[in-house]
Amino acid sequence: MEQISQLLILFGGLFLISLVVTPVAKTFHIPRVTLLIISGIALGPHGLNLLSAMGETWFPFIADITLLIIGYLLGARLTKSYINQYIGGVLSASLVITLVTLLIVTLGLLLAGFPVEVALLLGAIAAATDPAATLDVINHRRVKNYFSNLLEGVVAIDDILGLLIFSIALAGLGLLNNNGDSLAPLLTMLWDIFGALVLGAGIGGMLAYLLNKRDPEESVVVESLGFIFLCGGLAITLEVSFLLAAMTMGLVVVNRADATAEHLHEIEDIEKPFLVLFFVMAGATLNLEAGAAIGIAGTLFIILRTFGRYLGGCLCPPTPELRGQRRWLGISLLPQAGVAMGMALVGAHAYPEHAEILLSVAIAATVVFEITGPIFINLALDKVQRRFSDQP
């Protein structure tokens, strides 16, 4: 009973943190996500040590639920009208920014004398983005213009491209090292992506059917969560990307169901408390000691990735809607967390002799980019809104 009471007090206290964080964020124009992560650091082992054991126990569970809901809502943003208006810009921007980041980080580390395996894998890891932090800043600011809409789309497919590039990098390194299983990463990637697409489309179709058959006066939020959680559980069981499966599910629902506005508002309301728990616990579980011992590789990675993101944004196709805004697009994709860590773990398993450097750089980058990344997003939204407020 004592453990349950402690857990309830803990969760209640974490939810109430938003009473302080939200007004402070608005007053001082600081991203809410940054303050939530800093609050987690203060409550974690590097501060008051109130979240050490429970944070490690509950964070993976909270993180999976939060990312499932985020993925679903990301996919639900991809309506037919959005796709018709933005998909060209989203694909071209994401591809350019991802490839430029890969090249800058890989070449920079190679010139600094790091082994080709380390340089190429860290270059691929640099392509991953944290959609949770990016979307929280956009939603909290309630900004709606071409730039923010494009940014949401880029975030939605960025990790897919990152996963593809990382798998190709592993396969390429396997060929260079005469590894007989060099095609295994590509086959895994194909299963990860296409398996997730099939799973998400199937469950999304079932939820869309339910939404179309419901009584307009009746809420089906419980059933909707049931399908979302079912999708995530099956994705993890089948070892496919649960984030991509959830995104596909949201895309199918929003384009197949007749009326989804109220349904999506209900899911967004459920998402809010999970976001608070997610960011505070993320801060509590950050390894600041690894971040402090960042070393030459970590410092170079952070500098090169930041420059690669910025340059990639500047090199995006100069569409009329993005005129003067491209330089802010790349630096809005700095937050990095779970996907990058997953890539680092896979790379460390494939090349155990480089495990220490891959994992330490990924951890250090997560610490830095999760705290500073939202600040750059906030700055970009400010600059774009101030100078291009007349754009749609």
Side-chain angles (χ1 to χ4, degrees), residues 37 120 179 207:
I37 290 174
L120 189 55
N179 187 341
L207 179 53

Side-chain angles (χ1 to χ4, degrees), residues 16-307:
L16 293 176
I17 285 176
S18 61
L19 285 175
V20 177
V21 165
T22 301
V24 170
K26 289 181 179 179
T27 302
F28 295 99
H29 302 289
I30 301 172
R32 187 185 72 143
V33 56
T34 299
L35 292 181
L36 288 172
I37 290 174
I38 292 174
S39 299
I41 294 172
L43 295 172
H46 302 286
L48 300 175
N49 200 26
L50 299 177
L51 284 179
S52 54
M54 288 190 178
E56 292 177 2
T57 302
W58 284 92
F59 180 62
F61 176 68
I62 297 295
D64 285 350
I65 290 179
T66 307
L67 291 174
L68 263 176
I69 298 175
I70 286 172
Y72 179 77
L73 292 174
L74 261 178
R77 284 175 164 86
L78 304 179
T79 61
K80 292 176 182 177
S81 60
Y82 179 96
I83 291 173
N84 291 335
Q85 184 175 359
Y86 294 101
I87 195 63
V90 166
L91 288 175
S92 59
S94 184
L95 190 60
V96 170
I97 294 172
T98 298
L99 291 178
V100 170
T101 303
L102 170 71
L103 290 173
I104 293 293
V105 175
T106 302
L107 291 176
L109 292 174
L110 283 175
L111 291 174
F114 289 94
V116 63
E117 293 88 355
V118 172
L120 189 55
L121 290 178
L122 286 178
I125 289 170
T129 306
D130 176 19
T134 306
L135 291 176
D136 188 77
V137 176
I138 295 174
N139 293 335
H140 189 244
R141 289 289 306 272
R142 296 180 180 176
V143 176
K144 278 295 174 186
N145 53 37
Y146 184 88
F147 180 86
S148 66
N149 289 336
L150 182 69
L151 182 58
E152 289 177 355
V154 172
V155 168
I157 67 169
D158 210 47
D159 284 337
I160 303 173
L161 284 177
L163 176 64
L164 176 62
I165 287 174
F166 184 78
S167 301
I168 293 173
L170 275 178
L173 288 171
L175 289 173
L176 286 176
N177 296 324
N178 296 318
N179 187 341
D181 294 328
S182 60
L183 290 180
L186 278 177
L187 295 176
T188 301
M189 177 271 299
L190 290 173
W191 170 248
D192 199 17
I193 292 176
F194 289 103
L197 292 174
V198 172
L199 176 64
I203 297 182
M206 289 189 284
L207 179 53
Y209 178 82
L210 173 67
L211 291 173
N212 286 336
K213 293 295 182 180
R214 68 172 175 172
D215 184 337
E217 302 297 323
E218 182 181 355
S219 172
V220 291
V221 64
V222 175
E223 293 84 351
S224 300
L225 281 178
F227 278 112
I228 293 172
F229 289 175
L230 178 65
C231 179
L234 289 175
I236 294 172
T237 301
L238 297 172
E239 297 184 346
V240 300
S241 171
F242 73 89
L243 184 62
L244 179 56
M247 283 174 49
T248 306
M249 183 181 171
L251 184 149
V252 170
V253 167
V254 80
N255 289 292
R256 293 291 300 274
D258 295 331
T260 58
E262 184 179 347
H263 159 73
L264 294 176
H265 285 314
E266 290 175 336
I267 302 299
E268 287 170 353
D269 287 339
I270 292 172
E271 175 198 36
K272 291 174 183 177
F274 281 107
L275 280 174
V276 173
L277 292 178
F278 174 74
F279 289 122
V280 174
M281 287 188 172
T285 54
L286 285 178
N287 190 334
L288 294 187
E289 292 176 357
I294 192 170
I296 296 175
T299 303
L300 270 177
F301 178 84
I302 289 169
I303 294 173
L304 291 170
R305 183 174 183 268
T306 303
F307 177 66

